[in-house]
Amino acid sequence: MSPNDALTMSRMPDLLGDYEPGTFFFSSPTRTLLARGVDREVPASGTTSLRGRVASALRDARDSGHPNPVVVGAIPFRDDRPARLLVPAAVCWTSPPAGLSAAPERIAGTFTGFGPISDPGDYVRGVEKALAKLTTGELQKIVLARTLDITMGAPVDVGRVLRNLVRRDPQAYGYAVDLPSGDGTARTLLGASPELLVSRSGRRITTNPLAGSAPRHPDPVVDRERARALLASDKDLREHALVIESIVEALRPYCSRLSVPAGPSPLSTASMWHLSTRITGVLDDPAVTSLELATVLHPTPAVCGTPAGAARRAIEEIESFDRGLYAGLVGWGDATGDGEWVVTIRCAEIADQTLRLFAGAGIVAGSVPETELAETTAKFQTMLRAVGLDQVR
């Protein structure tokens, strides 16, 4: 079912320009969503599953007179952490945002420093620990992330950062999610993810996993060579294959037809090249929702590793921070089951004058710690450029 059938479409000229803190924003290459107000929140915990709580909230909203309820928000990396999901009071849709047509908006305030937990040496040592686990056969792949805390000299203008993100990468999935705060400080999760976990339109589904990355280069000749080298990289192809095998195995029981390309293609963002495989399918049971598929797939080896249980335990052991919503899911789903859910990467949490950036890299046999560190540094560039910073250690 198309958004025109499932939701009331409001052809506003620029929903990106209408964004303000406290609203939910989500853009894809085909459409833009802006949600305002709260009809009801999905309980963060309960005796039923998350899917059940979402279905109940949508049903209650429709029974109370909401004509086309949708759920929007974010789901964390770990299933024992609270999700941030709600049924908004109003939803507006329009066409996708336009690309970069002007200079990036200047972000008020000057950069004043990095936070204390951004030591690159800690990440290198973590990768070395992961490689040791790979040699024992405990793991085939693990994704290790690091954070970078940045302090600005004035409160960060979230709307300007979001506009810079989306206009620089219009083919990515832009998002901004209002987060609860215990101390009254406004907090926002925002980013521009290149990775579609799953979308559903009627019985048709699409997933576009990414695994295997290389930084872009400003010289077009060097940039094209990096893309070719990525496609020929044994290490990156093995990493990518692990992700595809896991996703196909998870989706086959749900699909009467599943189309899987023979190999990956290069996909580019403003900062990175990725190995990409776009998988499409047809659901056997039309009652299966986009959220159900998303929670079945999450977390994929692209953000966790394989085997998943061992990778999760190793991540908790090695990483020195709680991922929270990073490497989780963000998106929307409607009462018919349609929706779009993307992997929460290329993102930051913003609170007043501070930003916490997240970036990760997939570790497999043959990974080089310093190379994986460089990959995370390159991935930080998406957010750094959006706030007007061009360098990071």
Side-chain angles (χ1 to χ4, degrees), residues 3-11 67-68 91-93:
N4 285 310
D5 297 323
L7 300 166
T8 301
M9 298 284 285
S10 178
R11 286 288 168 183
N68 297 300
V91 174
C92 300
W93 291 89

Side-chain angles (χ1 to χ4, degrees), residues 191-250:
S193 175
E195 187 164 4
L196 172 67
L197 181 67
V198 69
S199 67
R200 197 205 89 157
S201 179
R203 290 176 61 185
R204 296 188 176 277
I205 65 165
T206 302
T207 179
N208 192 186
L210 309 179
S213 306
R216 300 290 303 272
H217 194 280
D219 184 321
V221 175
V222 177
D223 194 47
R224 287 193 295 271
E225 179 54 37
R226 287 190 173 182
R228 286 192 292 268
L230 181 62
L231 277 170
S233 166
D234 175 70
K235 176 262 182 186
D236 289 287
L237 288 170
R238 285 188 287 111
E239 180 185 343
H240 189 82
L242 288 170
V243 176
I244 302 308
E245 289 167 7
S246 172
I247 286 179
V248 169
E249 181 181 358

